Amino acid sequence: MRDQESGRVPPGRRLSTKEAAELLGVKAETVYAYVSRGQLSSYRPPGGRGSTFDAEEVEALARRNRRESGGSPATGTDMGVRTRITLIESDRYYFRGVDATELAARHSYEEIAEWLWTGQLRPGITFHAPLASVAVARRAVDSLPEHSGPTDRLRVAVAAAASTDPLRFDLSEDAVLGTARLLIPTLVAALPPQRRTHRDEGSLAQRLWRRLSPRDPDEASLRALDTALGLLVDHDLAASTLAVRVAASARAHAYAAVSAGLGVLEGPLHGAASGLAHRMLVEVLDQGDPAPVVAEELRAGRRVPGLGHRLYPGEDPRARALFAALEEMPDAEPALAAARDVMATAARHTPLHANVDMALAVLTVAGGMLPAAGETIFAVARTAGWIAHALEEYGERPLRMRPSGHYVGPRPPQPFPGQVTGDVRKSPWTKSG
């Protein structure tokens, strides 16, 4: 559709620029941007002072914008995120169309990450970090105060690793994938081990276990940890993933995009949620009775940790799959029993299923890990998903994720702060006389 500045007036009801802008929910400048991009046609009548727009055409564009942005008012930006990575539907979720729980049951975390990034399975693949990158990241992490949390350490490790990579600004797919395969094991290697060991080999799950637990793992325990990593690789547009896509939209490099995700992850409603469930299960095990523990949570006005999920009216499929793996873990039965008791007790108040945070808490309690271990597992796992979303976003129009604020403050002009109404004071830079 081209701008029509002459000729006969097109048929149909006409709107002024102001009316078109109001219908579209944008500024007048954006209306003319639509015209320049061929999304709207305009007509300026002879002797007229402004352009007019066909009402049906404007309404059609408004409907299209709402559809593509998930119902949000059009802002001249495309906030609708089309993705080929994860689908959540009918209490199940899929990676590139394949049941994610089946992938986690059959493949390692590294294999699932490759599937998420490329759509190809590479059996037996493992990720290993360059020694130089690990050395810099470890020095940076070791300089932090002892009370630093896991996300603090990971953020510092990401920044340190980025400083060793002169090619980090290359946003081509091959370069970003190369970064991902090196960054994830670097994050694991940078974390302080729970006991002295000269070995740093094996799968990513084996290396991560040594950073989380002072115990020697059996095969079932490692399998449970690897399953947890695979299940948590991605979960559509969670808050941290949206932050990653915003960073990638601004063409931040992969390290910076991952840092954006880590910044959001630390909240108690996201990556740190399993720590709350961990502490609750420890209390139940110590007291031998879930009732007073659940009662205290409710009395404090809190939700019972580890129960319910807004995307799953029924059962969280990640929890179901991880619980199945935990059933095979020899030391998990007490924590599993505590989780079942919590669910049964809470069901008298609100019948909610366990979510993946509860299952993750069972893993960390059974593994003799600290409460924050679940947050570490979540962050390491989700880094692969963040990279996948960053790659997708690099293929979109730059800076598309730039919504406009809906200003609700006082309308200008307002008196300058400290200025008495009617008091016109001279600037100190203005000469008198």
Side-chain angles (χ1 to χ4, degrees), residues 15 97 102 142 231 253 272 305 318 323 347 432:
L15 301 177
E102 290 294 324
D142 289 344
L231 291 168
H253 56 68
R318 302 169 300 171
F323 279 135
S432 59

Side-chain angles (χ1 to χ4, degrees), residues 66-240:
R66 285 194 295 270
R67 185 169 58 249
E68 292 180 356
S69 63
S72 301
T75 61
T77 59
D78 183 6
M79 287 298 291
V81 179
R82 291 169 290 277
T83 178
R84 296 177 178 270
I85 299 172
T86 301
L87 169 67
I88 299 175
E89 188 175 71
S90 303
D91 285 344
R92 301 177 71 180
Y93 75 123
Y94 306 84
F95 294 154
R96 293 185 177 272
V98 177
D99 189 296
T101 61
E102 290 294 324
L103 282 171
R106 301 181 185 186
H107 295 281
S108 71
Y109 167 74
E110 293 99 318
E111 291 168 349
I112 295 171
E114 285 287 332
W115 170 254
L116 208 66
W117 297 334
T118 67
Q120 298 179 346
L121 279 172
R122 298 177 61 187
I125 187 172
T126 56
F127 300 154
H128 293 282
L131 295 178
S133 177
V134 170
V136 171
R138 279 180 176 169
R139 285 199 299 271
V141 170
D142 289 344
S143 69
L144 293 173
E146 188 175 343
H147 64 267
S148 300
T151 308
D152 294 324
R153 297 189 179 101
L154 292 173
R155 279 199 300 261
V156 167
V158 170
S163 71
T164 68
D165 186 358
L167 304 179
R168 61 187 180 277
F169 297 103
D170 184 350
L171 302 186
S172 65
E173 182 175 343
D174 288 343
V176 173
L177 288 177
T179 293
R181 296 181 185 115
L182 300 179
L183 175 59
I184 293 174
T186 297
L187 296 182
V188 173
L191 296 171
Q194 290 297 302
R195 59 187 177 87
R196 289 188 174 275
T197 176
H198 297 290
R199 297 179 301 151
D200 201 10
E201 55 194 24
S203 68
L204 193 83
Q206 288 176 297
R207 284 171 272 157
L208 182 58
W209 182 280
R210 299 183 192 115
R211 267 89 186 161
L212 300 177
S213 174
R215 303 178 186 173
D216 283 324
D218 52 68
E219 186 176 342
S221 298
L222 284 177
R223 182 59 193 155
L225 176 56
D226 197 43
T227 299
L229 290 168
L231 291 168
L232 293 168
V233 162
D234 190 56
H235 205 231
D236 195 33
L237 289 182
S240 58

Side-chain angles (χ1 to χ4, degrees), residues 19 39 71 74 95 106 118-119 190 207 221 224 244 266 270 279 284 296 322 348 356 360 376 386 410 432:
E19 291 171 330
Q39 294 175 277
F95 294 154
R106 301 181 185 186
T118 67
R207 284 171 272 157
S221 298
V244 168
E266 199 169 12
H270 197 10
R279 292 182 177 88
V284 172
E296 185 58 32
L322 184 50
R348 305 172 198 167
V356 74
L360 200 53
T376 305
W386 292 337
S432 59

Side-chain angles (χ1 to χ4, degrees), residues 274-279 281 335 356-366:
S274 66
L276 302 176
H278 177 112
R279 292 182 177 88
L281 292 183
V356 74
D357 296 315
M358 179 72 83
L360 200 53
V362 171
L363 171 61
T364 56
V365 170

